[in-house]
Amino acid sequence: MDILVIISFVFSLLIFIGLIFTAIISYCEKEIKAFHKSFWTALLVGISFIYLSFNSEVFTIIFSIAFIMISLLLLIPFGRKSFPYDDTPLGQIDERDTMFSRSELTPGTKNYIDYYELYPEKEKLDNIWRQKPGLLSRDASTYNRFQYAAADASFVAVSHFRELVDKTPLDEPAEIEPARISNFIKRWARKLGAKEVRITKMQEYHYYSVAGRGDDYGEPVIQRHKYGICIAVEMDHEMMSMAPKGPTVMESAGQYMNAGVIAMQVAEFIKLLGYNARAHIDGRYQVVCPLVARDAGMGEIGRMGILMTPNVGPRVRLAVVTADIPLITDKRLLDYTMIDFCIKCKKCAGICPGNAISFDRPEVIDGVKRWQINQEKCYDFWCRIGTDCSRCVAVCPYSHPDNVLHNSVRFGIINSPLFRLAAVKMDDVLYGAKPPTKKTPPWLDI
């Protein structure tokens, strides 16, 4: 019995320490409600368990057995990790069908008339949001002149790069060792500010079939390069927690710019070595960045229809450099555990103010099993509030900061479907099923 007492005491102490550690991390992350819940639970439950370990023989036996069994169920790896189905796209996406392209159509122009002759039902949908104030509009519900100006400044800055993406190299190609140059590009891009950099072999479905923005509108997109270098930059957790207010679009725009700056530098570097390259940046994409990133092993496409990375979830912005310089590719991880977590979670669908995210399991769309948001509903809400919303990104449990506490949860999510279910419930307990929008700090509230 003495051994059981010691075991029970150790387990109780581990629970107490774990809850205190959670409280400390929550306080540092400014998650005050999570801090109070963790701290007071540590005092009430942890100390009570420690006391009972020395004073109740029945508790000692039951608790020790229960703790071991629950730990084994939650931590022992089991269940499917690889994909049970093929999610390779069967065709290409026409960029003209995206909301970003449709938002740039001007009534009465040839592009406008031609597009809506093909899709008259979309004109009815689009004319609904055209009556709304619009992104970064003075009449939008979240309008703040300073925050909107800061966001627009980033969009304007990245727009100046668009004229440069199609420059061609002038020198003869240098002799290249693929492994060394691949390592150099990755490490250099991370030094420039990238959260993650990975490489894949480009496929036809990575490219749009037809361009939908800029001077190339309506022109077929031709696959020109063999390799794709995907660059992800992290969006600040605190800024995103203020979604859907102005600070969120500030952060989103700023990271689009930062991703574009890194991509432009990498592309120019490759051109200076004598190889063809193109940076795909905000407003000048020829590729579907999430698909390139997924196939490079950067994550999976989740319920929101955007890339979910293992360490910061959807809290990233992407840019891609396509090039014909010899490179070493990364493998896709084919991690079904992230999809299974999305199936169980549904937090983004529950909080989406535009009701644009499905609660259902992945469905077969265009021959491929996946999720797809209702982009018209999503963009309609953007046009009402004036920002790119991002409430779904802010509340996603995978969006928590990249630290020991949340990474230990992510480790459990990878291991066990029971842990995934428990993680969903615990996230709701600590942060709320529908976490409120965080207050804007004084420096932003001008």
Side-chain angles (χ1 to χ4, degrees):
M1 189 57 64
D2 290 340
I3 294 176
L4 281 178
V5 169
I6 293 172
I7 292 173
S8 178
F9 168 73
V10 170
F11 290 164
S12 299
L13 188 61
L14 287 174
I15 291 174
F16 175 76
I17 292 172
L19 288 167
I20 289 295
F21 180 68
T22 301
I24 293 171
I25 295 295
S26 298
Y27 184 82
C28 293
E29 293 174 357
K30 300 180 182 179
E31 297 284 357
I32 303 305
K33 288 185 178 179
F35 162 73
H36 282 295
K37 290 175 182 177
S38 303
F39 180 76
W40 292 111
T41 302
L43 292 184
L44 295 174
V45 176
I47 293 177
S48 297
F49 280 11
I50 291 172
Y51 173 81
L52 289 170
S53 296
F54 290 101
N55 293 278
S56 172
E57 186 175 314
V58 174
F59 172 84
T60 299
I61 296 171
I62 295 174
F63 175 68
S64 298
I65 295 172
F67 188 92
I68 293 171
M69 290 182 64
I70 292 171
S71 298
L72 290 175
L73 286 172
L74 293 180
L75 296 177
I76 289 181
F78 71 97
R80 177 181 291 277
K81 291 188 177 182
S82 60
F83 266 74
Y85 52 84
D86 183 6
D87 62 349
T88 303
L90 300 180
Q92 294 173 278
I93 297 171
D94 187 334
E95 191 185 17
R96 294 174 298 179
D97 293 333
T98 67
M99 294 309 301
F100 298 109
S101 174
R102 287 150 64 180
S103 69
E104 294 176 2
L105 292 174
T106 303
T109 61
K110 184 179 185 304
N111 289 343
Y112 183 100
I113 294 168
D114 290 348
Y115 183 78
Y116 289 118
E117 279 184 353
L118 289 173
Y119 305 104
E121 73 284 358
K122 291 181 180 178
E123 184 177 19
K124 294 178 182 178
L125 290 171
D126 294 354
N127 282 337
I128 294 174
W129 56 257
R130 284 196 176 97
Q131 304 304 314
K132 306 294 194 303
L135 193 65
L136 298 180
S137 168
R138 288 175 177 268
D139 298 322
S141 61
T142 66
Y143 177 71
N144 177 295
R145 182 171 183 177
F146 301 97
Q147 294 169 8
Y148 277 29
D152 205 23
S154 295
F155 284 129
V156 170
V158 76
S159 71
H160 292 305
F161 291 122
R162 294 172 188 167
E163 300 288 326
L164 306 174
V165 296
D166 290 312
K167 284 174 56 180
T168 56
L170 300 177
D171 295 331
E172 289 294 317
E175 292 187 11
I176 297 297
E177 291 185 32
R180 294 189 67 183
I181 201 68
S182 299
N183 181 59
F184 176 88
I185 288 172
K186 288 180 178 180
R187 296 190 66 168
W188 180 44
R190 290 190 185 101
K191 186 178 184 300
L192 292 173
K195 175 72 174 177
E196 183 61 276
V197 187
R198 295 180 73 86
I199 300 168
T200 190
K201 187 175 181 180
M202 295 299 292
Q203 307 294 332
E204 186 178 60
Y205 64 79
H206 289 149
Y207 287 84
Y208 286 113
S209 59
V210 179
R213 303 178 76 179
D215 295 336
D216 297 333
Y217 185 94
E219 295 293 327
V221 176
I222 300 171
Q223 179 177 343
R224 293 184 290 173
H225 302 134
K226 185 175 181 180
Y227 298 102
I229 305 162
C230 193
I231 296 161
V233 295
E234 181 180 357
M235 293 189 288
D236 181 73
H237 180 263
E238 183 180 9
M239 293 286 279
M240 298 308 292
S241 70
M242 301 172 209
K245 295 187 290 187
T248 304
V249 73
M250 282 176 59
E251 181 65 13
S252 177
Q255 297 308 331
Y256 271 126
M257 184 194 69
N258 289 338
V261 169
I262 297 169
M264 285 298 299
Q265 290 178 88
V266 171
E268 291 300 313
F269 165 74
I270 293 171
K271 291 174 189 176
L272 288 170
L273 296 180
Y275 294 88
N276 286 303
R278 188 188 192 278
H280 301 264
I281 62 176
D282 179 60
R284 288 289 285 163
Y285 299 110
Q286 289 185 346
V287 302
V288 185
C289 291
L291 288 178
V292 180
R294 183 200 68 174
D295 289 356
M298 202 172 274
E300 299 294 343
I301 310 296
R303 183 179 292 275
M304 293 173 248
I306 59 178
L307 184 76
M308 298 273 292
T309 63
N311 293 328
V312 294
R315 197 163 42 81
V316 293
R317 286 288 178 244
L318 302 173
V320 169
V321 175
T322 54
D324 59 13
I325 189 171
L327 297 170
I328 301 299
T329 59
D330 298 293
K331 292 183 179 179
R332 184 183 170 191
L333 301 179
L334 291 168
D335 184 5
Y336 185 67
T337 64
M338 297 183 75
I339 303 300
D340 189 48
F341 184 83
C342 280
I343 289 172
K344 292 175 167 61
C345 181
K346 305 178 185 178
K347 202 162 188 172
C348 59
I351 205 163
C352 176
N355 297 313
I357 302 174
S358 170
F359 283 92
D360 299 329
R361 297 173 72 89
E363 299 176 348
V364 176
I365 301 171
D366 298 328
V368 181
K369 199 169 187 179
R370 61 188 176 91
W371 283 291
Q372 180 170 292
I373 69 164
N374 186 316
Q375 62 172 338
E376 288 84 6
K377 287 183 177 181
C378 181
Y379 196 75
D380 180 84
F381 186 74
W382 287 20
C383 290
R384 275 189 279 159
I385 60 171
T387 74
D388 52 1
C389 183
S390 297
R391 282 292 281 151
C392 54
V393 174
V395 305
C396 176
Y398 261 100
S399 284
H400 290 304
D402 184 2
N403 59 36
V404 174
L405 173 65
H406 299 299
N407 286 340
S408 63
V409 175
R410 293 179 181 111
F411 175 79
I413 287 171
I414 292 171
N415 272 327
S416 164
L418 290 177
F419 193 100
R420 292 195 277 277
L421 188 61
V424 170
K425 301 301 181 184
M426 286 306 301
D427 197 84
D428 287 349
V429 169
L430 279 177
Y431 305 102
K434 294 184 176 182
T437 298
K438 295 292 180 63
K439 292 182 179 180
T440 306
W443 75 270
L444 279 168
D445 197 14
I446 60 173

mmCIF file of all heavy atoms in Angstrom, residues 295-334:
data_model
loop_
_atom_site.group_PDB
_atom_site.id
_atom_site.type_symbol
_atom_site.label_atom_id
_atom_site.label_comp_id
_atom_site.label_asym_id
_atom_site.label_seq_id
_atom_site.Cartn_x
_atom_site.Cartn_y
_atom_site.Cartn_z
ATOM 1 N N ASP A 295 1.510 20.002 -50.515
ATOM 2 C CA ASP A 295 2.291 18.966 -51.177
ATOM 3 C C ASP A 295 3.774 19.039 -50.823
ATOM 4 O O ASP A 295 4.503 18.062 -50.993
ATOM 5 C CB ASP A 295 2.104 19.059 -52.692
ATOM 6 C CG ASP A 295 0.713 18.618 -53.127
ATOM 7 O OD1 ASP A 295 -0.064 18.167 -52.269
ATOM 8 O OD2 ASP A 295 0.398 18.729 -54.326
ATOM 9 N N ALA A 296 4.205 20.194 -50.322
ATOM 10 C CA ALA A 296 5.585 20.327 -49.852
ATOM 11 C C ALA A 296 5.747 19.807 -48.424
ATOM 12 O O ALA A 296 6.856 19.812 -47.882
ATOM 13 C CB ALA A 296 6.030 21.784 -49.934
ATOM 14 N N GLY A 297 4.647 19.380 -47.809
ATOM 15 C CA GLY A 297 4.717 18.839 -46.450
ATOM 16 C C GLY A 297 4.575 19.882 -45.365
ATOM 17 O O GLY A 297 4.987 19.665 -44.229
ATOM 18 N N MET A 298 3.944 21.016 -45.690
ATOM 19 C CA MET A 298 3.832 22.103 -44.723
ATOM 20 C C MET A 298 2.586 21.980 -43.844
ATOM 21 O O MET A 298 2.454 22.677 -42.839
ATOM 22 C CB MET A 298 3.827 23.443 -45.463
ATOM 23 C CG MET A 298 4.239 24.633 -44.635
ATOM 24 S SD MET A 298 4.435 26.134 -45.620
ATOM 25 C CE MET A 298 6.132 25.945 -46.180
ATOM 26 N N GLY A 299 1.665 21.099 -44.207
ATOM 27 C CA GLY A 299 0.445 20.931 -43.424
ATOM 28 C C GLY A 299 -0.647 20.307 -44.267
ATOM 29 O O GLY A 299 -0.387 19.696 -45.302
ATOM 30 N N GLU A 300 -1.886 20.458 -43.819
ATOM 31 C CA GLU A 300 -3.040 19.922 -44.532
ATOM 32 C C GLU A 300 -4.102 21.005 -44.698
ATOM 33 O O GLU A 300 -4.082 22.014 -43.994
ATOM 34 C CB GLU A 300 -3.637 18.716 -43.791
ATOM 35 C CG GLU A 300 -2.699 17.536 -43.629
ATOM 36 C CD GLU A 300 -2.336 16.869 -44.949
ATOM 37 O OE1 GLU A 300 -3.049 17.097 -45.952
ATOM 38 O OE2 GLU A 300 -1.335 16.129 -44.990
ATOM 39 N N ILE A 301 -5.031 20.792 -45.624
ATOM 40 C CA ILE A 301 -6.124 21.729 -45.844
ATOM 41 C C ILE A 301 -7.268 21.352 -44.910
ATOM 42 O O ILE A 301 -7.834 20.267 -45.021
ATOM 43 C CB ILE A 301 -6.606 21.703 -47.309
ATOM 44 C CG1 ILE A 301 -5.429 21.834 -48.271
ATOM 45 C CG2 ILE A 301 -7.638 22.797 -47.537
ATOM 46 C CD1 ILE A 301 -4.682 23.144 -48.193
ATOM 47 N N GLY A 302 -7.599 22.223 -43.976
ATOM 48 C CA GLY A 302 -8.580 21.916 -42.943
ATOM 49 C C GLY A 302 -9.995 22.343 -43.281
ATOM 50 O O GLY A 302 -10.321 22.660 -44.422
ATOM 51 N N ARG A 303 -10.836 22.342 -42.249
ATOM 52 C CA ARG A 303 -12.258 22.650 -42.403
ATOM 53 C C ARG A 303 -12.476 24.035 -43.009
ATOM 54 O O ARG A 303 -13.453 24.265 -43.723
ATOM 55 C CB ARG A 303 -12.953 22.548 -41.038
ATOM 56 C CG ARG A 303 -14.461 22.779 -41.083
ATOM 57 C CD ARG A 303 -15.077 22.638 -39.707
ATOM 58 N NE ARG A 303 -15.026 21.269 -39.221
ATOM 59 C CZ ARG A 303 -15.919 20.324 -39.505
ATOM 60 N NH1 ARG A 303 -16.940 20.607 -40.293
ATOM 61 N NH2 ARG A 303 -15.797 19.117 -39.003
ATOM 62 N N MET A 304 -11.584 24.986 -42.714
ATOM 63 C CA MET A 304 -11.724 26.347 -43.231
ATOM 64 C C MET A 304 -11.386 26.461 -44.704
ATOM 65 O O MET A 304 -11.554 27.519 -45.305
ATOM 66 C CB MET A 304 -10.808 27.298 -42.449
ATOM 67 C CG MET A 304 -11.187 27.493 -41.011
ATOM 68 S SD MET A 304 -9.909 28.460 -40.160
ATOM 69 C CE MET A 304 -9.246 27.251 -39.054
ATOM 70 N N GLY A 305 -10.830 25.386 -45.281
ATOM 71 C CA GLY A 305 -10.435 25.422 -46.674
ATOM 72 C C GLY A 305 -9.093 26.088 -46.897
ATOM 73 O O GLY A 305 -8.738 26.408 -48.038
ATOM 74 N N ILE A 306 -8.339 26.323 -45.822
ATOM 75 C CA ILE A 306 -7.013 26.918 -45.927
ATOM 76 C C ILE A 306 -5.995 25.998 -45.247
ATOM 77 O O ILE A 306 -6.359 25.035 -44.586
ATOM 78 C CB ILE A 306 -6.958 28.336 -45.311
ATOM 79 C CG1 ILE A 306 -7.359 28.295 -43.824
ATOM 80 C CG2 ILE A 306 -7.855 29.287 -46.073
ATOM 81 C CD1 ILE A 306 -7.285 29.653 -43.146
ATOM 82 N N LEU A 307 -4.717 26.328 -45.423
ATOM 83 C CA LEU A 307 -3.659 25.470 -44.897
ATOM 84 C C LEU A 307 -3.632 25.483 -43.376
ATOM 85 O O LEU A 307 -3.698 26.536 -42.745
ATOM 86 C CB LEU A 307 -2.309 25.932 -45.435
ATOM 87 C CG LEU A 307 -1.117 25.045 -45.036
ATOM 88 C CD1 LEU A 307 -1.119 23.763 -45.859
ATOM 89 C CD2 LEU A 307 0.193 25.796 -45.211
ATOM 90 N N MET A 308 -3.508 24.287 -42.802
ATOM 91 C CA MET A 308 -3.313 24.113 -41.365
ATOM 92 C C MET A 308 -1.894 23.590 -41.159
ATOM 93 O O MET A 308 -1.567 22.483 -41.586
ATOM 94 C CB MET A 308 -4.303 23.099 -40.812
ATOM 95 C CG MET A 308 -5.752 23.496 -40.946
ATOM 96 S SD MET A 308 -6.284 24.478 -39.545
ATOM 97 C CE MET A 308 -6.219 23.244 -38.239
ATOM 98 N N THR A 309 -1.042 24.379 -40.509
ATOM 99 C CA THR A 309 0.326 23.933 -40.237
ATOM 100 C C THR A 309 0.378 23.251 -38.871
ATOM 101 O O THR A 309 -0.423 23.553 -37.995
ATOM 102 C CB THR A 309 1.302 25.124 -40.253
ATOM 103 O OG1 THR A 309 0.950 26.039 -39.200
ATOM 104 C CG2 THR A 309 1.241 25.853 -41.588
ATOM 105 N N PRO A 310 1.331 22.332 -38.662
ATOM 106 C CA PRO A 310 1.381 21.597 -37.389
ATOM 107 C C PRO A 310 1.635 22.468 -36.165
ATOM 108 O O PRO A 310 1.150 22.156 -35.077
ATOM 109 C CB PRO A 310 2.539 20.612 -37.603
ATOM 110 C CG PRO A 310 2.673 20.484 -39.072
ATOM 111 C CD PRO A 310 2.307 21.816 -39.627
ATOM 112 N N ASN A 311 2.395 23.561 -36.305
ATOM 113 C CA ASN A 311 2.814 24.326 -35.133
ATOM 114 C C ASN A 311 1.991 25.574 -34.836
ATOM 115 O O ASN A 311 1.885 25.968 -33.676
ATOM 116 C CB ASN A 311 4.292 24.723 -35.266
ATOM 117 C CG ASN A 311 5.206 23.519 -35.216
ATOM 118 O OD1 ASN A 311 4.915 22.532 -34.547
ATOM 119 N ND2 ASN A 311 6.302 23.575 -35.940
ATOM 120 N N VAL A 312 1.431 26.208 -35.856
ATOM 121 C CA VAL A 312 0.616 27.410 -35.608
ATOM 122 C C VAL A 312 -0.706 27.366 -36.364
ATOM 123 O O VAL A 312 -1.386 28.376 -36.503
ATOM 124 C CB VAL A 312 1.383 28.707 -35.952
ATOM 125 C CG1 VAL A 312 2.550 28.906 -35.012
ATOM 126 C CG2 VAL A 312 1.860 28.713 -37.402
ATOM 127 N N GLY A 313 -1.084 26.183 -36.850
ATOM 128 C CA GLY A 313 -2.367 26.022 -37.509
ATOM 129 C C GLY A 313 -2.508 26.924 -38.726
ATOM 130 O O GLY A 313 -1.585 27.048 -39.540
ATOM 131 N N PRO A 314 -3.666 27.589 -38.867
ATOM 132 C CA PRO A 314 -3.902 28.446 -40.034
ATOM 133 C C PRO A 314 -3.325 29.850 -39.876
ATOM 134 O O PRO A 314 -3.538 30.699 -40.752
ATOM 135 C CB PRO A 314 -5.437 28.493 -40.102
ATOM 136 C CG PRO A 314 -5.859 28.402 -38.667
ATOM 137 C CD PRO A 314 -4.860 27.480 -38.009
ATOM 138 N N ARG A 315 -2.587 30.086 -38.800
ATOM 139 C CA ARG A 315 -2.098 31.447 -38.499
ATOM 140 C C ARG A 315 -0.820 31.750 -39.293
ATOM 141 O O ARG A 315 0.220 32.117 -38.750
ATOM 142 C CB ARG A 315 -1.870 31.553 -36.987
ATOM 143 C CG ARG A 315 -1.761 32.944 -36.459
ATOM 144 C CD ARG A 315 -1.946 33.025 -34.939
ATOM 145 N NE ARG A 315 -1.287 31.995 -34.199
ATOM 146 C CZ ARG A 315 0.010 31.994 -33.865
ATOM 147 N NH1 ARG A 315 0.781 32.999 -34.220
ATOM 148 N NH2 ARG A 315 0.523 31.006 -33.158
ATOM 149 N N VAL A 316 -0.908 31.589 -40.623
ATOM 150 C CA VAL A 316 0.225 31.859 -41.517
ATOM 151 C C VAL A 316 -0.276 32.573 -42.767
ATOM 152 O O VAL A 316 -1.452 32.498 -43.117
ATOM 153 C CB VAL A 316 0.968 30.567 -41.937
ATOM 154 C CG1 VAL A 316 1.666 29.926 -40.757
ATOM 155 C CG2 VAL A 316 0.024 29.586 -42.622
ATOM 156 N N ARG A 317 0.643 33.255 -43.416
ATOM 157 C CA ARG A 317 0.424 33.766 -44.770
ATOM 158 C C ARG A 317 1.493 33.145 -45.662
ATOM 159 O O ARG A 317 2.621 32.908 -45.223
ATOM 160 C CB ARG A 317 0.495 35.289 -44.810
ATOM 161 C CG ARG A 317 -0.740 35.963 -44.210
ATOM 162 C CD ARG A 317 -1.923 35.804 -45.122
ATOM 163 N NE ARG A 317 -3.136 36.392 -44.572
ATOM 164 C CZ ARG A 317 -4.225 35.708 -44.238
ATOM 165 N NH1 ARG A 317 -4.216 34.369 -44.351
ATOM 166 N NH2 ARG A 317 -5.304 36.303 -43.794
ATOM 167 N N LEU A 318 1.122 32.892 -46.922
ATOM 168 C CA LEU A 318 1.980 32.116 -47.821
ATOM 169 C C LEU A 318 2.411 32.916 -49.045
ATOM 170 O O LEU A 318 1.684 33.792 -49.516
ATOM 171 C CB LEU A 318 1.236 30.868 -48.307
ATOM 172 C CG LEU A 318 0.728 29.886 -47.254
ATOM 173 C CD1 LEU A 318 -0.128 28.820 -47.906
ATOM 174 C CD2 LEU A 318 1.887 29.255 -46.493
ATOM 175 N N ALA A 319 3.569 32.594 -49.549
ATOM 176 C CA ALA A 319 4.028 33.013 -50.862
ATOM 177 C C ALA A 319 4.780 31.833 -51.458
ATOM 178 O O ALA A 319 5.257 30.956 -50.726
ATOM 179 C CB ALA A 319 4.927 34.244 -50.781
ATOM 180 N N VAL A 320 4.876 31.794 -52.763
ATOM 181 C CA VAL A 320 5.553 30.690 -53.450
ATOM 182 C C VAL A 320 6.516 31.261 -54.479
ATOM 183 O O VAL A 320 6.214 32.260 -55.142
ATOM 184 C CB VAL A 320 4.536 29.755 -54.138
ATOM 185 C CG1 VAL A 320 5.236 28.770 -55.075
ATOM 186 C CG2 VAL A 320 3.714 28.994 -53.104
ATOM 187 N N VAL A 321 7.682 30.641 -54.587
ATOM 188 C CA VAL A 321 8.611 30.930 -55.675
ATOM 189 C C VAL A 321 8.696 29.682 -56.533
ATOM 190 O O VAL A 321 9.058 28.609 -56.042
ATOM 191 C CB VAL A 321 10.012 31.301 -55.147
ATOM 192 C CG1 VAL A 321 10.989 31.478 -56.317
ATOM 193 C CG2 VAL A 321 9.952 32.561 -54.308
ATOM 194 N N THR A 322 8.312 29.791 -57.817
ATOM 195 C CA THR A 322 8.512 28.673 -58.728
ATOM 196 C C THR A 322 9.807 28.919 -59.501
ATOM 197 O O THR A 322 10.136 30.059 -59.837
ATOM 198 C CB THR A 322 7.330 28.525 -59.704
ATOM 199 O OG1 THR A 322 7.088 29.765 -60.384
ATOM 200 C CG2 THR A 322 6.079 28.119 -58.955
ATOM 201 N N ALA A 323 10.544 27.853 -59.759
ATOM 202 C CA ALA A 323 11.872 28.018 -60.366
ATOM 203 C C ALA A 323 12.293 26.754 -61.092
ATOM 204 O O ALA A 323 11.764 25.656 -60.832
ATOM 205 C CB ALA A 323 12.890 28.364 -59.283
ATOM 206 N N ASP A 324 13.250 26.899 -62.009
ATOM 207 C CA ASP A 324 13.796 25.726 -62.691
ATOM 208 C C ASP A 324 15.212 25.402 -62.228
ATOM 209 O O ASP A 324 15.903 24.583 -62.832
ATOM 210 C CB ASP A 324 13.756 25.900 -64.218
ATOM 211 C CG ASP A 324 14.545 27.111 -64.702
ATOM 212 O OD1 ASP A 324 15.319 27.683 -63.901
ATOM 213 O OD2 ASP A 324 14.387 27.487 -65.878
ATOM 214 N N ILE A 325 15.659 26.030 -61.137
ATOM 215 C CA ILE A 325 16.954 25.694 -60.554
ATOM 216 C C ILE A 325 16.860 24.299 -59.923
ATOM 217 O O ILE A 325 15.843 23.963 -59.305
ATOM 218 C CB ILE A 325 17.367 26.754 -59.506
ATOM 219 C CG1 ILE A 325 18.806 26.548 -59.048
ATOM 220 C CG2 ILE A 325 16.421 26.756 -58.312
ATOM 221 C CD1 ILE A 325 19.338 27.692 -58.182
ATOM 222 N N PRO A 326 17.859 23.437 -60.063
ATOM 223 C CA PRO A 326 17.780 22.082 -59.480
ATOM 224 C C PRO A 326 17.694 22.138 -57.946
ATOM 225 O O PRO A 326 18.538 22.755 -57.295
ATOM 226 C CB PRO A 326 19.092 21.422 -59.928
ATOM 227 C CG PRO A 326 19.548 22.226 -61.104
ATOM 228 C CD PRO A 326 19.091 23.631 -60.851
ATOM 229 N N LEU A 327 16.679 21.503 -57.391
ATOM 230 C CA LEU A 327 16.443 21.522 -55.946
ATOM 231 C C LEU A 327 16.099 20.122 -55.448
ATOM 232 O O LEU A 327 15.729 19.242 -56.226
ATOM 233 C CB LEU A 327 15.302 22.489 -55.603
ATOM 234 C CG LEU A 327 15.512 23.973 -55.933
ATOM 235 C CD1 LEU A 327 14.212 24.743 -55.753
ATOM 236 C CD2 LEU A 327 16.604 24.572 -55.057
ATOM 237 N N ILE A 328 16.203 19.948 -54.134
ATOM 238 C CA ILE A 328 15.787 18.706 -53.476
ATOM 239 C C ILE A 328 14.416 18.943 -52.855
ATOM 240 O O ILE A 328 14.223 19.885 -52.078
ATOM 241 C CB ILE A 328 16.793 18.285 -52.385
ATOM 242 C CG1 ILE A 328 18.183 18.092 -52.985
ATOM 243 C CG2 ILE A 328 16.320 17.011 -51.689
ATOM 244 C CD1 ILE A 328 18.263 17.010 -54.039
ATOM 245 N N THR A 329 13.460 18.098 -53.174
ATOM 246 C CA THR A 329 12.090 18.309 -52.703
ATOM 247 C C THR A 329 11.856 17.656 -51.347
ATOM 248 O O THR A 329 12.545 16.715 -50.951
ATOM 249 C CB THR A 329 11.076 17.745 -53.711
ATOM 250 O OG1 THR A 329 11.308 16.345 -53.883
ATOM 251 C CG2 THR A 329 11.196 18.451 -55.047
ATOM 252 N N ASP A 330 10.850 18.182 -50.649
ATOM 253 C CA ASP A 330 10.391 17.596 -49.394
ATOM 254 C C ASP A 330 9.177 16.720 -49.674
ATOM 255 O O ASP A 330 8.473 16.893 -50.668
ATOM 256 C CB ASP A 330 10.006 18.708 -48.407
ATOM 257 C CG ASP A 330 11.180 19.599 -48.052
ATOM 258 O OD1 ASP A 330 12.113 19.103 -47.402
ATOM 259 O OD2 ASP A 330 11.164 20.788 -48.435
ATOM 260 N N LYS A 331 8.931 15.773 -48.779
ATOM 261 C CA LYS A 331 7.795 14.879 -48.951
ATOM 262 C C LYS A 331 6.582 15.385 -48.179
ATOM 263 O O LYS A 331 6.707 15.938 -47.088
ATOM 264 C CB LYS A 331 8.144 13.461 -48.474
ATOM 265 C CG LYS A 331 9.169 12.757 -49.345
ATOM 266 C CD LYS A 331 9.398 11.336 -48.850
ATOM 267 C CE LYS A 331 10.414 10.616 -49.741
ATOM 268 N NZ LYS A 331 10.657 9.228 -49.259
ATOM 269 N N ARG A 332 5.420 15.194 -48.746
ATOM 270 C CA ARG A 332 4.185 15.476 -48.013
ATOM 271 C C ARG A 332 4.036 14.452 -46.889
ATOM 272 O O ARG A 332 4.310 13.252 -47.079
ATOM 273 C CB ARG A 332 2.984 15.399 -48.955
ATOM 274 C CG ARG A 332 1.677 15.773 -48.255
ATOM 275 C CD ARG A 332 0.475 15.625 -49.168
ATOM 276 N NE ARG A 332 -0.748 15.769 -48.402
ATOM 277 C CZ ARG A 332 -1.960 15.484 -48.853
ATOM 278 N NH1 ARG A 332 -2.101 15.044 -50.100
ATOM 279 N NH2 ARG A 332 -3.020 15.645 -48.093
ATOM 280 N N LEU A 333 3.591 14.924 -45.733
ATOM 281 C CA LEU A 333 3.512 14.046 -44.564
ATOM 282 C C LEU A 333 2.287 13.142 -44.589
ATOM 283 O O LEU A 333 2.254 12.116 -43.924
ATOM 284 C CB LEU A 333 3.494 14.911 -43.294
ATOM 285 C CG LEU A 333 4.707 15.827 -43.108
ATOM 286 C CD1 LEU A 333 4.553 16.644 -41.832
ATOM 287 C CD2 LEU A 333 5.986 15.030 -43.076
ATOM 288 N N LEU A 334 1.250 13.535 -45.356
ATOM 289 C CA LEU A 334 0.000 12.765 -45.412
ATOM 290 C C LEU A 334 -0.540 12.477 -44.014
ATOM 291 O O LEU A 334 -0.840 11.349 -43.639
ATOM 292 C CB LEU A 334 0.213 11.456 -46.186
ATOM 293 C CG LEU A 334 0.458 11.592 -47.691
ATOM 294 C CD1 LEU A 334 0.937 10.282 -48.277
ATOM 295 C CD2 LEU A 334 -0.806 12.046 -48.399
#
